[in-house]
Amino acid sequence: MIANWQRHVRSSPRAQDTTTALLLFAVSFPGSLYVATGSPAPAAPWWTAALLSGVSCTALLFHRDHPRTALALTTAAAVTSAAQGRLLTVLSLGPLMVTLYSFALRTEHNTLRRSYVFGVAALLMTTEVIAGPADRPLDLETVGPAAWVLMPTALGSAVRLRSAYLDAVRARAEHAERTREEEARRRVAEERLRIARELHDVTAQHLALANAQAGTLAHLLRGQPDQVHKILADLATTTSAALRELKATVGLLRHEGTKDTEDAEDAEDAEDTEDASSPTAPGLARLAGLTASFRSAGLDVTVSTEGEPQQLTPAADLTAFRIVQEALTNVTKHAAAKTARVRLAYSHDRLTLTVADDGGALRSAPPTPQVPGGGFGLIGMRERAQSVGGRLRAGPRPGGGFEVRAELPLGETALAIRSRPGARPPSAARPSST
């Protein structure tokens, strides 16, 4: 039975308040019976002490919902008891001290809390000075009541501040956890977009080049069979490169599907520091092999460099290579051009990359159904350039042909642009579609 009552008290605030009121009445009523010797006030009957203690303890039953009302009742009872010549001890002031603690705990307005507390202390000290014995030292009539009022108030304020601090820490931790999870999901989505973009580059552009080489091979079989072996070797090289890059990129997809979500927070950093010689991150160092593969498809590509070549960030290096690859692939697919020029112009803070063809009529081909989501080659190149802080323009040349011109920042300029608030990471660009 005692155990059941204890569980009920712990789970019910009303039961806690009732138990506290009964216990305080048991100590405050006997403590209120002490009368100061030599007090000028007439002796009051004992039942007035019981009544005042009962009023004070009853006020504790609603100190949670109406703390100011409970404080007013317990203060009035304490002041009345002091006016009757009774000693204000820690026992008789027990209900008032508990009410002051509750009031300080539940009142956030500092000015209101201080005004109530100092008002209660002033009332008790004034009553003690007036109704107390004339021979009692003044410090006992003032310091004692003030101490019993200020101590529970200070304790309640400290508990309230600590509770507010813990709530704030908990809220920040929850917010940080939600933000971390959202950031991890965002990084995972961006990494998947980056891998999808690489899959497009590996499959669509390599297959387009292989298709062009196969067309050249069919043409040579009729007129120049002695060059067939060279084209076949180039075709095998193209398909082998496509398979290697496809295998490496699919391996990234498998790793992406099995790694923990929190590991995705490092996805962008991993992309930024990715080695440019990696199979999944080619760069301008492989430009010679790229242009040679297009020559075997019937497109003569020349590369020129202006200025002093500078080191690009891995992301910018990959972007430059993919823009050249996409632009040359579009030339082989959509134009009858025989030559194309790639120009790399380095300045102190940026690389200007230009890919231009010599023009020619569009190749005739039977109508083909539109692929949903297709036709975003130029958009994809533009987004690639923007992802590293650059820009891209593409359009017909005045003298004929088509030109793609990209400006990419170099070195510290690229890092400063990418670190700006709101800058789009490389993985945020959607996959291009040829």
Side-chain angles (χ1 to χ4, degrees), residues 319 322-324 326-327 330 376-386 392 394 404 432:
T319 297
R322 292 305 189 194
I323 289 176
V324 174
E326 175 75 19
N330 288 342
F376 293 103
L378 293 179
I379 295 176
M381 287 190 289
R382 185 172 293 110
E383 290 182 342
R384 279 186 179 274
Q386 292 174 350
L392 182 140
V404 175
S432 61

mmCIF file of all heavy atoms in Angstrom, residues 319 322-324 326-327 330 376-386 392 394 404 432:
data_model
loop_
_atom_site.group_PDB
_atom_site.id
_atom_site.type_symbol
_atom_site.label_atom_id
_atom_site.label_comp_id
_atom_site.label_asym_id
_atom_site.label_seq_id
_atom_site.Cartn_x
_atom_site.Cartn_y
_atom_site.Cartn_z
ATOM 1 N N THR A 319 35.811 19.388 -65.024
ATOM 2 C CA THR A 319 34.818 20.162 -65.767
ATOM 3 C C THR A 319 35.353 20.545 -67.146
ATOM 4 O O THR A 319 34.631 20.434 -68.159
ATOM 5 C CB THR A 319 34.431 21.422 -64.973
ATOM 6 O OG1 THR A 319 33.815 21.025 -63.753
ATOM 7 C CG2 THR A 319 33.485 22.300 -65.755
ATOM 8 N N ARG A 322 35.324 17.470 -69.422
ATOM 9 C CA ARG A 322 33.985 17.051 -69.830
ATOM 10 C C ARG A 322 33.368 18.034 -70.828
ATOM 11 O O ARG A 322 32.616 17.633 -71.715
ATOM 12 C CB ARG A 322 33.085 16.917 -68.606
ATOM 13 C CG ARG A 322 33.439 15.770 -67.666
ATOM 14 C CD ARG A 322 33.486 14.454 -68.368
ATOM 15 N NE ARG A 322 33.616 13.335 -67.425
ATOM 16 C CZ ARG A 322 33.937 12.109 -67.768
ATOM 17 N NH1 ARG A 322 34.188 11.819 -69.035
ATOM 18 N NH2 ARG A 322 34.032 11.150 -66.850
ATOM 19 N N ILE A 323 33.663 19.329 -70.694
ATOM 20 C CA ILE A 323 33.134 20.303 -71.651
ATOM 21 C C ILE A 323 33.726 20.052 -73.035
ATOM 22 O O ILE A 323 33.006 20.063 -74.044
ATOM 23 C CB ILE A 323 33.422 21.734 -71.164
ATOM 24 C CG1 ILE A 323 32.540 22.061 -69.952
ATOM 25 C CG2 ILE A 323 33.182 22.746 -72.280
ATOM 26 C CD1 ILE A 323 32.819 23.415 -69.335
ATOM 27 N N VAL A 324 35.031 19.805 -73.105
ATOM 28 C CA VAL A 324 35.653 19.502 -74.394
ATOM 29 C C VAL A 324 35.072 18.212 -74.968
ATOM 30 O O VAL A 324 34.744 18.129 -76.165
ATOM 31 C CB VAL A 324 37.183 19.390 -74.239
ATOM 32 C CG1 VAL A 324 37.828 18.921 -75.537
ATOM 33 C CG2 VAL A 324 37.770 20.716 -73.812
ATOM 34 N N GLU A 326 32.127 16.818 -74.379
ATOM 35 C CA GLU A 326 30.740 17.018 -74.796
ATOM 36 C C GLU A 326 30.672 17.823 -76.087
ATOM 37 O O GLU A 326 29.887 17.506 -76.998
ATOM 38 C CB GLU A 326 29.971 17.732 -73.688
ATOM 39 C CG GLU A 326 28.539 18.106 -74.029
ATOM 40 C CD GLU A 326 27.601 16.915 -74.010
ATOM 41 O OE1 GLU A 326 27.956 15.891 -73.395
ATOM 42 O OE2 GLU A 326 26.530 17.016 -74.630
ATOM 43 N N ALA A 327 31.474 18.899 -76.177
ATOM 44 C CA ALA A 327 31.437 19.742 -77.366
ATOM 45 C C ALA A 327 31.885 18.975 -78.608
ATOM 46 O O ALA A 327 31.257 19.069 -79.680
ATOM 47 C CB ALA A 327 32.321 20.974 -77.155
ATOM 48 N N ASN A 330 29.203 16.509 -79.692
ATOM 49 C CA ASN A 330 28.114 17.176 -80.406
ATOM 50 C C ASN A 330 28.506 17.482 -81.847
ATOM 51 O O ASN A 330 27.660 17.437 -82.751
ATOM 52 C CB ASN A 330 27.730 18.470 -79.682
ATOM 53 C CG ASN A 330 26.995 18.197 -78.384
ATOM 54 O OD1 ASN A 330 26.477 17.104 -78.167
ATOM 55 N ND2 ASN A 330 26.971 19.188 -77.498
ATOM 56 N N PHE A 376 19.751 18.129 -73.429
ATOM 57 C CA PHE A 376 20.256 19.048 -72.423
ATOM 58 C C PHE A 376 21.778 19.118 -72.444
ATOM 59 O O PHE A 376 22.396 19.394 -71.426
ATOM 60 C CB PHE A 376 19.777 18.638 -71.031
ATOM 61 C CG PHE A 376 18.300 18.774 -70.836
ATOM 62 C CD1 PHE A 376 17.483 17.656 -70.868
ATOM 63 C CD2 PHE A 376 17.729 20.021 -70.640
ATOM 64 C CE1 PHE A 376 16.117 17.773 -70.679
ATOM 65 C CE2 PHE A 376 16.363 20.148 -70.450
ATOM 66 C CZ PHE A 376 15.552 19.028 -70.482
ATOM 67 N N GLY A 377 22.395 18.851 -73.619
ATOM 68 C CA GLY A 377 23.846 18.872 -73.681
ATOM 69 C C GLY A 377 24.429 20.220 -73.339
ATOM 70 O O GLY A 377 25.333 20.340 -72.504
ATOM 71 N N LEU A 378 23.919 21.286 -73.967
ATOM 72 C CA LEU A 378 24.422 22.634 -73.686
ATOM 73 C C LEU A 378 24.096 23.054 -72.257
ATOM 74 O O LEU A 378 24.905 23.702 -71.593
ATOM 75 C CB LEU A 378 23.824 23.630 -74.681
ATOM 76 C CG LEU A 378 24.268 23.455 -76.147
ATOM 77 C CD1 LEU A 378 23.587 24.483 -77.031
ATOM 78 C CD2 LEU A 378 25.782 23.583 -76.264
ATOM 79 N N ILE A 379 22.890 22.682 -71.790
ATOM 80 C CA ILE A 379 22.529 23.014 -70.413
ATOM 81 C C ILE A 379 23.468 22.325 -69.433
ATOM 82 O O ILE A 379 23.924 22.919 -68.449
ATOM 83 C CB ILE A 379 21.066 22.617 -70.133
ATOM 84 C CG1 ILE A 379 20.123 23.444 -71.000
ATOM 85 C CG2 ILE A 379 20.722 22.803 -68.669
ATOM 86 C CD1 ILE A 379 18.671 23.059 -70.857
ATOM 87 N N GLY A 380 23.784 21.067 -69.713
ATOM 88 C CA GLY A 380 24.692 20.341 -68.830
ATOM 89 C C GLY A 380 26.077 20.965 -68.794
ATOM 90 O O GLY A 380 26.691 21.086 -67.734
ATOM 91 N N MET A 381 26.607 21.392 -69.969
ATOM 92 C CA MET A 381 27.912 22.049 -69.988
ATOM 93 C C MET A 381 27.868 23.369 -69.219
ATOM 94 O O MET A 381 28.812 23.707 -68.481
ATOM 95 C CB MET A 381 28.357 22.286 -71.432
ATOM 96 C CG MET A 381 28.788 21.029 -72.173
ATOM 97 S SD MET A 381 29.575 21.393 -73.762
ATOM 98 C CE MET A 381 28.167 21.955 -74.721
ATOM 99 N N ARG A 382 26.796 24.119 -69.392
ATOM 100 C CA ARG A 382 26.684 25.397 -68.686
ATOM 101 C C ARG A 382 26.626 25.183 -67.170
ATOM 102 O O ARG A 382 27.241 25.914 -66.398
ATOM 103 C CB ARG A 382 25.442 26.132 -69.184
ATOM 104 C CG ARG A 382 25.288 27.538 -68.597
ATOM 105 C CD ARG A 382 24.158 28.293 -69.267
ATOM 106 N NE ARG A 382 24.456 28.586 -70.660
ATOM 107 C CZ ARG A 382 23.854 28.015 -71.710
ATOM 108 N NH1 ARG A 382 22.921 27.098 -71.497
ATOM 109 N NH2 ARG A 382 24.189 28.327 -72.939
ATOM 110 N N GLU A 383 25.891 24.160 -66.752
ATOM 111 C CA GLU A 383 25.806 23.895 -65.314
ATOM 112 C C GLU A 383 27.129 23.396 -64.758
ATOM 113 O O GLU A 383 27.481 23.686 -63.609
ATOM 114 C CB GLU A 383 24.687 22.890 -65.041
ATOM 115 C CG GLU A 383 23.296 23.458 -65.266
ATOM 116 C CD GLU A 383 22.208 22.460 -64.945
ATOM 117 O OE1 GLU A 383 22.519 21.247 -64.881
ATOM 118 O OE2 GLU A 383 21.057 22.882 -64.778
ATOM 119 N N ARG A 384 27.862 22.637 -65.567
ATOM 120 C CA ARG A 384 29.186 22.206 -65.120
ATOM 121 C C ARG A 384 30.085 23.416 -64.880
ATOM 122 O O ARG A 384 30.796 23.492 -63.876
ATOM 123 C CB ARG A 384 29.823 21.289 -66.164
ATOM 124 C CG ARG A 384 29.355 19.841 -66.104
ATOM 125 C CD ARG A 384 30.163 19.006 -67.077
ATOM 126 N NE ARG A 384 29.770 17.611 -67.039
ATOM 127 C CZ ARG A 384 30.249 16.726 -66.187
ATOM 128 N NH1 ARG A 384 31.116 17.121 -65.279
ATOM 129 N NH2 ARG A 384 29.866 15.469 -66.223
ATOM 130 N N ALA A 385 30.069 24.363 -65.815
ATOM 131 C CA ALA A 385 30.900 25.560 -65.647
ATOM 132 C C ALA A 385 30.465 26.370 -64.434
ATOM 133 O O ALA A 385 31.297 26.830 -63.649
ATOM 134 C CB ALA A 385 30.834 26.410 -66.912
ATOM 135 N N GLN A 386 29.164 26.527 -64.256
ATOM 136 C CA GLN A 386 28.672 27.295 -63.105
ATOM 137 C C GLN A 386 29.000 26.605 -61.789
ATOM 138 O O GLN A 386 29.177 27.274 -60.766
ATOM 139 C CB GLN A 386 27.161 27.493 -63.235
ATOM 140 C CG GLN A 386 26.758 28.414 -64.382
ATOM 141 C CD GLN A 386 25.256 28.472 -64.570
ATOM 142 O OE1 GLN A 386 24.500 27.694 -63.965
ATOM 143 N NE2 GLN A 386 24.806 29.382 -65.425
ATOM 144 N N LEU A 392 29.644 29.770 -69.238
ATOM 145 C CA LEU A 392 29.778 29.165 -70.560
ATOM 146 C C LEU A 392 28.805 29.824 -71.513
ATOM 147 O O LEU A 392 27.649 30.093 -71.159
ATOM 148 C CB LEU A 392 29.536 27.654 -70.483
ATOM 149 C CG LEU A 392 29.681 26.864 -71.783
ATOM 150 C CD1 LEU A 392 30.380 25.532 -71.530
ATOM 151 C CD2 LEU A 392 28.313 26.596 -72.425
ATOM 152 N N ALA A 394 27.543 29.482 -75.737
ATOM 153 C CA ALA A 394 27.594 28.624 -76.930
ATOM 154 C C ALA A 394 26.651 29.189 -77.978
ATOM 155 O O ALA A 394 25.577 29.701 -77.647
ATOM 156 C CB ALA A 394 27.215 27.187 -76.581
ATOM 157 N N VAL A 404 31.782 26.818 -78.622
ATOM 158 C CA VAL A 404 31.504 26.713 -77.197
ATOM 159 C C VAL A 404 32.658 27.386 -76.468
ATOM 160 O O VAL A 404 33.832 27.033 -76.684
ATOM 161 C CB VAL A 404 31.369 25.243 -76.752
ATOM 162 C CG1 VAL A 404 31.209 25.161 -75.239
ATOM 163 C CG2 VAL A 404 30.192 24.580 -77.446
ATOM 164 N N SER A 432 24.035 16.142 -67.608
ATOM 165 C CA SER A 432 23.746 16.626 -68.948
ATOM 166 C C SER A 432 23.270 15.475 -69.821
ATOM 167 O O SER A 432 23.490 14.324 -69.552
ATOM 168 C CB SER A 432 25.011 17.258 -69.560
ATOM 169 O OG SER A 432 26.030 16.285 -69.645
#
